[in-house]
Amino acid sequence: MTTNKALAQWITEIAALTQPDHIHWVDGSDDESARLTDGMLADGSLIRLNERTHPNCFLHRSASNDVARVEHLTFVCTRDKADAGENNNWMEPAEAHRLLDGLYAGCMRGRTMYVIPYLMGPYGSPYSRAGVEITDSAYVVANMRIMARIGTQALAHIEAGNSFVKGLHSIGQLDPEQRYIMHFPEELLINSFGSGYGGNALLGKKCHALRIASWQARTEGWLAEHMLILGIEDPQGNTSYVAAAFPSACGKTNLAMLVPPAAFAGWKVWTVGDDIAWLHPGPDGRLWAINPEAGFFGVAPGTSLKTNPNCMRTIGRNTIYTNVAVTEDLQPWWEGIDGDKPAKLTDWQGRPHDPANGPAAHPNSRFTVAAAQCPSYSPQANAPEGVPISAIIFGGRRSTVAPLVFEALDWAHGVFTGAAVASETTAAAVGQVGQVRRDPMAMKPFCGYNFGDYWAHWLGVGERVTRLPKVFHVNWFRKDADGKFMWPGYGDNMRVLKWIVERCEDRADARHTPVGLVPHANDIDVTGLTLSPQTLDALLAMDPEIWQREVAAIREFFGTFGSRLPEGLRAQVERIERELERQRAA
Ligand code: GTP
Ligand code: SPV
Ligand code: MN
């Protein structure tokens, strides 16, 4: 129980509505965790993996219709529809409450209601924020325990008088027809029903740390972003920090844990966060970032000792796997993992694997693991003040158009570059995969308010922050005529990071184009890399005609935000159009 009256009253109210058999206040202890795990092993919601090869690792198979975020069922319920914006589904708050309260009525009969006090951000940080998630899923408790700081200490933070976000979650009947992820930013409230998966159900993550926090950040003058945070240590021992926003399943976890290629002796990448960054203007005029999360909920397919050795060394123990395949001796398996494909596999739905049924592991299968287990976990990851950000990187998954890397001309152009991000859709959300869509700042699914107001807020940060980070755009996913990736990616992305760090220190060259500053081929350190000069030229090409079409598409997209589109972005479109036309005519 709790001494916080508002919290106690809310719990009483929700218990009366949902009618659970038991109420369990989660304290976050090892004992409690062991008891919950035993319960899930007994009821089949967890399967113990090979204890010799993967100690304390478990598999969870979700319902086959509940395997990803559901953007079409995710709503932002503000009093004024225009505050949610074209970028969000909207429902009138009273109507949304009626609908959800109807679904919640009696939904926990025969179940236990878990109350999870949690803190997003390091203990003792002025930037950390509390929440309380009510859930009827023990699997959610087990995941929240890894992803956030939960239990007694978080409750003490709330009882000390700090505000908290309320999140009510029930798996309901796991019926996709009765599934809603609802946000009430004006009430600091989240209502989630009918899904047990990832961002739909672990409410501290996307619902709180992005949708609600982005709303709070706007009114309070900071930024809540879908960004990894990493430190780059050079051979002299200087570390610069960068934050990078790529859409879901577009490489954040991989970049955050990068191992530099052999030719980069003395360079080292430190992981601060892999998915979410909260950025605050600091007393020294720089932007300082904390990772509000404590764990990684990462994409399994494609992860191997070749692509992400630090990750493989992180997920060998104390890890919950969701929707991966398993070998005969109960080791987790997915497409892209090291070694030959075993002859016998059990697929993510528990059937003998038959390639006719699709991949053995679900393309959005995931691991949940404590960040502290990562060999590259930064010693600064829990610093209450965060880390100072030298560069912000935007990126997307584009088989064409976007070059390997370019730098924005200034902050306002950087905001344009982020707002213009487009990316091919992935399995992280339900829907068609591989469709190019605009995903501004990688926040299309996560911005809790009108994108027009959001971009105005970003432009405003440029007025208030005196030592602004430089802004860059990257694309690891360019393809050649045969559909093959042109850039090796993964560890070799270090070559691009190095140019970025050097640009921040005015030590590297670039050529000016209307779209941004692009490295010359010899500005990228390709020591030890086999890449033809033609391929590198193609990766760094900026074709004015292709970009004229791209900017026309950006202009049209911006147009959908009407009068909420800030003048500063309209001016960027016009400048680039003018300069591209001049370049084409020359
Ligand atoms: P979310 O957790 O959904 O936000 O995803 P994320 O942005 O953290 O993406 P992640 O690093 O998990 O990568 C997603 C997929 O892209 C995986 O299958 C990776 O193997 C693949 N990937 C990551 N980086 C690269 C890269 O540099 N090149 C190529 N070709 N693929 C990459
Ligand atoms: C994403 O989709 O961007 C994720 C996974 O990081 S989830 O937690 O499901 O949102
Ligand atoms: Mn993500």
Side-chain angles (χ1 to χ4, degrees):
M1 288 305 288
T2 177
T3 58
N4 182 300
K5 284 211 184 78
L7 176 55
Q9 195 188 331
W10 182 56
I11 299 303
T12 307
E13 213 175 276
I14 298 306
L17 175 65
T18 59
Q19 309 265 308
D21 281 11
H22 307 281
I23 300 179
H24 176 137
W25 285 76
V26 174
D27 63 19
S29 65
D30 291 347
D31 237 36
E32 172 186 78
S33 169
R35 270 181 285 119
L36 286 175
T37 300
D38 286 346
M40 286 187 279
L41 288 168
D43 73 17
S45 51
L46 286 186
I47 295 166
R48 188 182 290 281
L49 292 173
N50 188 315
E51 191 58 30
R52 188 180 50 81
T53 59
H54 292 76
N56 201 33
C57 289
F58 302 92
L59 168 68
H60 173 77
R61 295 191 182 115
S62 70
S64 62
N65 60 25
D66 186 32
V67 292
R69 284 183 294 99
V70 281
E71 295 180 6
H72 58 297
L73 302 172
T74 300
F75 289 76
V76 170
C77 308
T78 46
R79 283 190 296 268
D80 183 350
K81 178 172 193 220
D83 289 340
E86 286 301 313
N87 44 304
N88 281 303
N89 301 312
W90 176 83
M91 198 179 289
E92 201 267 312
E95 185 190 339
H97 280 305
R98 263 196 306 280
L99 175 67
L100 268 288
D101 287 350
L103 295 171
Y104 285 133
C107 73
M108 295 190 191
R109 269 184 215 129
R111 299 181 186 177
T112 297
M113 175 173 119
Y114 300 96
V115 181
I116 318 171
Y118 64 86
L119 191 68
M120 301 308 290
Y123 290 119
S125 170
Y127 306 136
S128 295
R129 298 291 172 107
V132 177
E133 174 165 359
I134 297 177
T135 180
D136 54 9
S137 160
Y139 166 79
V140 164
V141 179
N143 278 266
M144 282 291 285
R145 184 168 193 271
I146 298 172
M147 296 306 297
R149 291 144 178 102
I150 70 166
T152 312
Q153 214 172 333
L155 183 61
H157 180 90
I158 292 169
E159 291 179 339
N162 292 293
S163 74
F164 62 95
V165 169
K166 297 176 194 164
L168 172 53
H169 169 253
S170 171
I171 57 174
Q173 310 307 318
L174 295 175
D175 174 0
E177 299 300 314
Q178 295 202 319
R179 181 172 294 165
Y180 296 98
I181 322 297
M182 298 268 192
H183 304 74
F184 304 88
E186 288 145 339
E187 301 170 51
L188 298 186
L189 175 69
I190 303 154
N191 277 183
S192 168
F193 190 86
S195 166
Y197 198 86
N200 298 334
L202 313 177
L203 301 186
K205 194 173 176 57
K206 298 302 171 48
C207 298
H208 177 166
L210 288 177
R211 298 196 191 92
I212 301 286
S214 64
W215 173 284
Q216 294 179 297
R218 179 187 171 217
T219 56
E220 297 166 6
W222 51 285
L223 296 165
E225 300 297 329
H226 190 202
M227 292 177 177
L228 68 93
I229 309 164
L230 62 80
I232 304 162
E233 185 179 330
D234 69 17
Q236 287 72 48
N238 306 310
T239 304
S240 334
Y241 294 92
V242 308
F246 311 150
S248 301
C250 291
K252 288 182 300 303
T253 300
N254 278 269
L255 192 68
M257 299 179 189
L258 182 150
V259 176
F264 279 61
W267 291 82
K268 168 112 180 92
V269 166
W270 296 102
T271 310
V272 178
D274 83 322
D275 198 51
I276 300 180
W278 286 354
L279 302 130
H280 289 77
D284 63 350
R286 290 188 288 183
L287 274 181
W288 290 72
I290 62 161
N291 171 17
E293 300 190 280
F296 309 129
F297 182 63
V299 175
T303 309
S304 70
L305 286 168
K306 283 184 300 296
T307 58
N308 194 346
N310 275 331
C311 189
M312 291 304 287
R313 289 182 190 116
T314 306
I315 62 180
R317 60 196 196 283
N318 311 322
T319 301
I320 301 173
Y321 290 90
T322 301
N323 293 341
V324 299
V326 284
T327 62
E328 272 187 297
D329 64 346
L330 285 176
Q331 296 190 48
W333 191 91
W334 50 80
E335 280 69 18
I337 200 174
D338 304 277
D340 296 331
K341 184 172 177 178
K344 276 197 184 160
L345 285 167
T346 303
D347 77 7
W348 64 276
Q349 295 184 72
R351 306 171 296 191
H353 173 50
D354 173 354
N357 291 332
H362 188 277
N364 192 38
S365 54
R366 300 234 169 201
F367 49 80
T368 318
V369 69
Q373 284 192 190
C374 183
S376 57
Y377 193 51
S378 166
Q380 288 303 101
N382 286 299
E385 70 280 12
V387 294
I389 298 298
S390 302
I392 286 178
I393 307 174
F394 294 113
R397 188 182 279 270
R398 285 306 287 272
S399 29
T400 60
V401 181
L404 179 63
V405 59
F406 63 90
E407 178 187 334
L409 305 175
D410 55 25
W411 182 261
H413 179 235
V415 176
F416 165 87
T417 300
V421 164
S423 193
E424 291 148 21
T425 50
T426 67
V430 168
Q432 226 183 335
V433 167
Q435 300 290 105
V436 176
R437 72 162 180 181
R438 294 284 148 201
D439 194 344
M441 281 84 170
M443 284 285 277
K444 168 71 186 71
F446 309 119
C447 182
Y449 63 102
N450 192 313
F451 261 151
D453 300 337
Y454 171 74
W455 297 324
H457 177 48
W458 264 84
L459 290 168
V461 167
E463 318 265 291
R464 293 191 307 277
V465 171
T466 51
R467 293 167 70 192
L468 287 164
K470 288 199 181 213
V471 180
F472 297 83
H473 186 285
V474 300
N475 178 22
W476 316 138
F477 300 94
R478 274 291 274 274
K479 287 186 178 166
D480 62 17
D482 301 330
K484 284 223 196 61
F485 289 119
M486 292 163 71
W487 177 249
Y490 301 107
D492 286 306
N493 294 333
M494 183 64 217
R495 302 170 189 280
V496 174
L497 290 182
K498 185 183 175 202
W499 181 75
I500 289 174
V501 170
E502 289 171 347
R503 287 296 298 171
C504 292
E505 296 169 354
D506 291 322
R507 291 195 288 118
D509 200 13
R511 69 190 168 92
H512 183 103
T513 81
V515 178
L517 303 162
V518 186
H520 306 98
N522 62 10
D523 294 321
I524 300 287
D525 185 344
V526 288
T527 320
L529 179 66
T530 13
L531 188 73
S532 77
Q534 293 83 338
T535 305
L536 186 56
D537 285 344
L539 282 164
L540 297 175
M542 197 67 112
D543 180 325
E545 275 178 42
I546 291 174
W547 274 90
Q548 276 186 318
R549 286 198 292 277
E550 181 71 4
V551 176
I554 294 166
R555 173 186 272 281
E556 191 187 328
F557 171 66
F558 282 179
T560 60
F561 294 91
S563 63
R564 296 242 182 170
L565 181 74
E567 195 42 51
L569 286 193
R570 206 187 313 273
Q572 290 292 328
V573 174
E574 276 157 22
R575 177 192 61 77
I576 297 168
E577 282 179 341
R578 240 184 355 257
E579 286 184 29
L580 283 170
E581 184 52 34
R582 207 180 304 136
Q583 195 184 15
R584 205 186 53 96

